[in-house]
Amino acid sequence: MKRKVTLKQIAKELDVSISTVSKSLRDSPEISEDTRQKVQAFAKLYNYKPNLIALSLKNKKTKTIGIIIPEIVHHFFATVISGIEHVANEHGYNVIVTLSDESFDKEVINMEMLANGSIDGFIMSLSKETQHKKDFHHIAEVINQGMPVVMFDRVTSDILCDKVIIDDNAAAFDAVQSLINNDFNKIALITTVDYVSVGKLRTDGYIKALRTNDRKVDESLILRIEDIDNCEEAIEKMMQEVKPDAVFAVNELFAVTAIKAANKLGQKVPEDVSVIGFTDGIISKYSSPSITTVSQNGIKMGGKAAKMLIDRLESEEEDEELYRTEVIETHLVVRESTPTL
Amino acid sequence: MKRKVTLKQIAKELDVSISTVSKSLRDSPEISEDTRQKVQAFAKLYNYKPNLIALSLKNKKTKTIGIIIPEIVHHFFATVISGIEHVANEHGYNVIVTLSDESFDKEVINMEMLANGSIDGFIMSLSKETQHKKDFHHIAEVINQGMPVVMFDRVTSDILCDKVIIDDNAAAFDAVQSLINNDFNKIALITTVDYVSVGKLRTDGYIKALRTNDRKVDESLILRIEDIDNCEEAIEKMMQEVKPDAVFAVNELFAVTAIKAANKLGQKVPEDVSVIGFTDGIISKYSSPSITTVSQNGIKMGGKAAKMLIDRLESEEEDEELYRTEVIETHLVVRESTPTL
């Protein structure tokens, strides 16, 4: 039985990265002549076929949309997929989902796999590692070959394509402004490390709200979490040491963990400390107290992304290069973890 | 641009069901001669190509696994996918996910799409509608053509293939038995309608535990929910009318809704009423009180399913027809919604 050799196998065999293999096969000037020749010779020997999008595009439409998301155990991405599915199905399109697991290599591999004739276009949100590396050649390549890509939520200005985002900066600003309006004085921020684009934008919105109101930005009130799965200890430590009267968390896991930490420290929510989260997921809805959040409206974001992709796929004008960035409205869903704001 | 005609379009054009089109193209004796000829003529006219699995199997391996799950906004299925991904990646396989949205037609369409040369084999859990209709011809067809299928969680005895399940009956029995051992007298059951196979098995386990302990089965204590998204009212009504001292819920959404209903009625959990759920998801972990649950171990279930599929794909013996059903161990995760059991 003849087995197709994969990008991963070539990389392993030659002891280079997947990115190097991918770039070598595209004659990228970033790769040394020596490496390029070695990779190309190996690929030829094992009959490796890079994707032939341009060719396949001329011949057929699959009526299938490929989605690449960073992780699946995450309610926001699940709601975006629901939104994409709904609009795609209405227009007669099927949907295929793949996961990058926040890994650059997996993002490249999945893109390669799907671009190989299975789908007509991509809807994707960047993996953390891709954002960190700032290596987007795989996406540029797919677009260059004529396959449309729509990015949502975690996007980059380095790639020209259609995008759907929320205004993370403004949404965070509004949430923190409403806390300031209600006379909260020590507003803590629980956020991600800065290379996650949405975390950075939400952090900027928090800082802007403080500055606009002539408040001092106190670094001891800002907690940047690297490992989301092990955030309990850091959050509890911050809550104990600085005793904030309000917490703005950039996702709902940080928000619910802040509530658990408050309970453990004998602080009542919302009486002693109010908590606002981000992403209107099931944790926010079912936790006790239920959590006031900035609703991202994943369903709407997914629906909009699907519509933009389908419009582009079905457009007759091939040279239309006016990419759009749609901004989805957010709003604060007030629940039990804050007073009425 | 030449567009491929789809099963759905043929069905719409001829005003018959997708199942009828699919069966007609396979010369199924279930379909009248007249309909069969009409469908086949139409498909021929529009150059419809049914999947050519047998042919593609001889030619290449995609090293890709196709997953079909009923819904994505569901923590259990998300953890199963994580488990599949992990083991698949270890063995050099990629994973593609599609959703049936609990619809029979979408399950058939997705199967058709993926079987068309994109993947080497399927891992799937049946949609509610497929279980209700008991129409499994699309799965039988794929298996007949030599493409292996592994079913998990929602399986059927009507199809011979590898399966991964938990012993839903025994798990429910054990949970209810532990409530009986702790002297609970009025144990309510919140379950699904009977055609959902796992709901039926968990209901049977509840009844068996009562009977084994010479307890009467009181139908007023058994609540069968049809529409999971609108279960609040029915659960609150039952809790108010029969005032159970314990509730066994067949999923975590029913469990957390029972806790909310108890709070609303002024009943304290676990002091006035204890609650046990099923599925160890994020709601159970983060709700207050956190919920005692039967852990399904989705990661392990997914990993086992992937291993079984890969073993079969890489087995040299083509005529090996000894299908296995693996049973994943469950255990009770005791949290705050019950006393120590």
Side-chain angles (χ1 to χ4, degrees), chain A residues 10-230:
Chain A
I10 299 178
K12 199 176 164 195
E13 200 63 39
L14 299 178
D15 197 21
V16 295
S17 73
I18 285 177
S19 180
T20 299
V21 176
S22 173
K23 285 176 178 166
S24 299
L25 293 171
R26 267 80 180 185
D27 289 319
S28 163
E30 288 175 48
I31 307 296
S32 74
E33 183 59 29
D34 184 49
T35 305
R36 214 156 69 198
Q37 284 184 355
K38 206 163 62 183
V39 171
Q40 292 189 353
F42 190 90
K44 198 171 173 188
L45 185 65
Y46 284 93
N47 203 23
Y48 177 78
K49 300 241 187 306
N51 65 61
L52 300 163
I53 302 168
L55 192 67
S56 78
L57 272 185
K58 281 184 198 121
N59 293 324
K60 62 160 183 167
K61 288 281 176 189
T62 61
K63 294 284 265 185
T64 303
I65 293 171
I67 303 178
I68 304 180
I69 53 167
E71 51 168 330
I72 202 155
V73 189
H74 192 314
H75 192 262
F76 167 66
F77 289 119
T79 58
V80 173
I81 292 173
S82 291
I84 294 172
E85 280 264 342
H86 185 71
V87 171
N89 291 165
E90 270 180 2
H91 288 79
Y93 283 76
N94 292 317
V95 169
I96 280 177
V97 184
T98 64
L99 312 176
S100 64
D101 281 342
E102 303 287 11
S103 144
F104 170 78
D105 281 356
K106 280 202 68 179
E107 191 174 291
V108 173
I109 288 171
N110 284 333
M111 209 146 193
E112 178 84 15
M113 165 177 74
L114 290 182
N116 218 332
S118 305
I119 61 160
D120 297 339
F122 283 100
I123 297 175
M124 69 184 299
S125 191
L126 295 168
S127 81
K128 264 187 208 162
E129 206 186 350
T130 307
Q131 292 194 304
H132 198 33
K133 284 171 96 99
K134 295 184 186 300
D135 182 344
F136 309 109
H137 80 280
H138 51 303
I139 306 169
E141 170 73 15
V142 158
I143 295 171
N144 284 342
Q145 293 197 29
M147 183 171 272
V149 173
V150 177
M151 286 192 188
F152 72 90
D153 194 47
R154 296 200 205 149
V155 304
T156 173
S157 55
D158 290 1
I159 293 284
L160 288 176
C161 68
D162 292 320
K163 289 161 197 168
V164 190
I165 54 169
I166 61 166
D167 189 338
D168 285 280
N169 189 312
F173 179 93
D174 291 347
V176 176
Q177 181 66 55
S178 67
L179 288 170
I180 292 172
N181 292 347
N182 282 270
D183 297 325
F184 287 94
N185 281 312
K186 274 179 107 170
I187 305 170
L189 171 71
I190 306 177
T191 185
T192 57
V193 285
D194 271 352
Y195 61 77
V196 178
S197 58
V198 296
K200 173 83 167 65
L201 289 167
R202 291 171 199 168
T203 302
D204 292 347
Y206 162 88
I207 291 171
K208 191 175 152 199
L210 293 180
R211 294 221 167 113
T212 304
N213 292 275
D214 296 321
R215 297 259 186 124
K216 218 184 72 191
V217 176
D218 177 353
E219 275 296 327
S220 74
L221 283 168
I222 300 179
L223 178 63
R224 289 185 174 79
I225 303 282
E226 173 91 40
D227 179 5
I228 195 166
D229 292 326
N230 293 297

Side-chain angles (χ1 to χ4, degrees), chain B residues 35-46:
Chain B
T35 304
R36 215 157 69 198
Q37 284 184 357
K38 205 162 63 183
V39 171
Q40 292 188 354
F42 189 91
K44 200 171 171 187
L45 185 66
Y46 284 93

Side-chain angles (χ1 to χ4, degrees), chain B residues 40-74:
Chain B
Q40 292 188 354
F42 189 91
K44 200 171 171 187
L45 185 66
Y46 284 93
N47 203 22
Y48 176 77
K49 300 244 187 304
N51 65 61
L52 301 162
I53 302 168
L55 192 67
S56 78
L57 271 184
K58 280 184 199 119
N59 294 323
K60 62 162 184 167
K61 288 281 174 188
T62 62
K63 294 285 265 185
T64 302
I65 293 171
I67 303 178
I68 305 179
I69 53 167
E71 50 168 332
I72 203 156
V73 189
H74 192 314

Side-chain angles (χ1 to χ4, degrees), chain B residues 128 189-203 222-228 250-251 254:
Chain B
K128 264 188 207 161
L189 171 72
I190 306 177
T191 184
T192 56
V193 285
D194 272 352
Y195 61 76
V196 178
S197 59
V198 296
K200 173 81 165 67
L201 289 166
R202 291 170 199 168
T203 303
I222 301 179
L223 178 63
R224 289 184 174 80
I225 304 281
E226 173 91 37
D227 179 5
I228 196 166
V250 301
N251 60 48
F254 293 168

Side-chain angles (χ1 to χ4, degrees), chain B residues 126-174:
Chain B
L126 295 168
S127 81
K128 264 188 207 161
E129 205 186 352
T130 307
Q131 292 195 305
H132 197 34
K133 284 171 95 101
K134 295 183 185 300
D135 182 344
F136 310 108
H137 80 280
H138 51 303
I139 307 169
E141 170 73 13
V142 158
I143 295 171
N144 284 343
Q145 293 197 30
M147 183 170 271
V149 173
V150 177
M151 285 192 189
F152 71 90
D153 195 47
R154 296 201 205 147
V155 304
T156 173
S157 55
D158 289 2
I159 292 285
L160 288 175
C161 67
D162 292 319
K163 288 162 198 167
V164 189
I165 53 169
I166 61 165
D167 190 337
D168 285 281
N169 188 312
F173 179 93
D174 291 348

Side-chain angles (χ1 to χ4, degrees), chain B residues 6 45 51 66 93 121 125 160 193 195 207 226 235 251 262 266 270 283 292 295 302 309 314 335:
Chain B
T6 64
L45 185 66
N51 65 61
Y93 283 77
S125 192
L160 288 175
V193 285
Y195 61 76
I207 291 171
E226 173 91 37
I235 289 176
N251 60 48
I283 294 179
T292 298
S295 169
L309 183 67
E314 300 189 344
R335 295 205 186 88

Side-chain angles (χ1 to χ4, degrees), chain B residues 268-286:
Chain B
K268 280 193 179 153
V269 178
E271 292 82 355
D272 300 324
V273 52
S274 284
V275 176
I276 298 184
F278 215 107
T279 306
D280 190 23
I282 45 174
I283 294 179
S284 304
K285 197 170 158 193
Y286 289 111

Side-chain angles (χ1 to χ4, degrees), chain A residues 1-4 6 8-9 57-61 63-64 72-73 75 78-79 81-82 85 89 92 94-99 101 106 109-110 113-114 118 232 253 256-257 260 263 282-283 285-288 290 313-314 318 336, chain B residues 1-4 6 8-9 57-61 63-64 72-73 75 78-79 81-82 85 89 92 94-99 101 106 109-110 113-114 118 232 253 256-257 260 263 282-283 285-288 290 313-314 318 336:
Chain A
M1 208 169 292
K2 197 163 142 191
R3 296 220 168 140
K4 202 182 136 186
T6 64
K8 200 171 171 180
Q9 287 164 331
L57 272 185
K58 281 184 198 121
N59 293 324
K60 62 160 183 167
K61 288 281 176 189
K63 294 284 265 185
T64 303
I72 202 155
V73 189
H75 192 262
T79 58
I81 292 173
S82 291
E85 280 264 342
N89 291 165
N94 292 317
V95 169
I96 280 177
V97 184
T98 64
L99 312 176
D101 281 342
K106 280 202 68 179
I109 288 171
N110 284 333
M113 165 177 74
L114 290 182
S118 305
E232 289 88 353
L253 200 67
V256 76
T257 307
K260 290 237 158 191
N263 286 340
I282 45 173
I283 294 179
K285 196 169 160 195
Y286 289 111
S287 105
S288 297
S290 57
L313 287 170
E314 301 189 346
E318 299 248 342
E336 299 162 358
Chain B
M1 206 170 293
K2 197 162 141 191
R3 295 219 168 140
K4 203 183 135 185
T6 64
K8 201 171 171 179
Q9 287 164 330
L57 271 184
K58 280 184 199 119
N59 294 323
K60 62 162 184 167
K61 288 281 174 188
K63 294 285 265 185
T64 302
I72 203 156
V73 189
H75 192 260
T79 57
I81 291 173
S82 291
E85 280 264 342
N89 291 166
N94 292 317
V95 170
I96 281 177
V97 184
T98 63
L99 313 176
D101 282 340
K106 281 202 66 180
I109 288 171
N110 284 332
M113 166 177 73
L114 291 181
S118 305
E232 289 88 352
L253 199 67
V256 77
T257 307
K260 291 236 159 191
N263 286 338
I282 45 174
I283 294 179
K285 197 170 158 193
Y286 289 111
S287 108
S288 296
S290 57
L313 287 170
E314 300 189 344
E318 299 246 344
E336 299 162 358

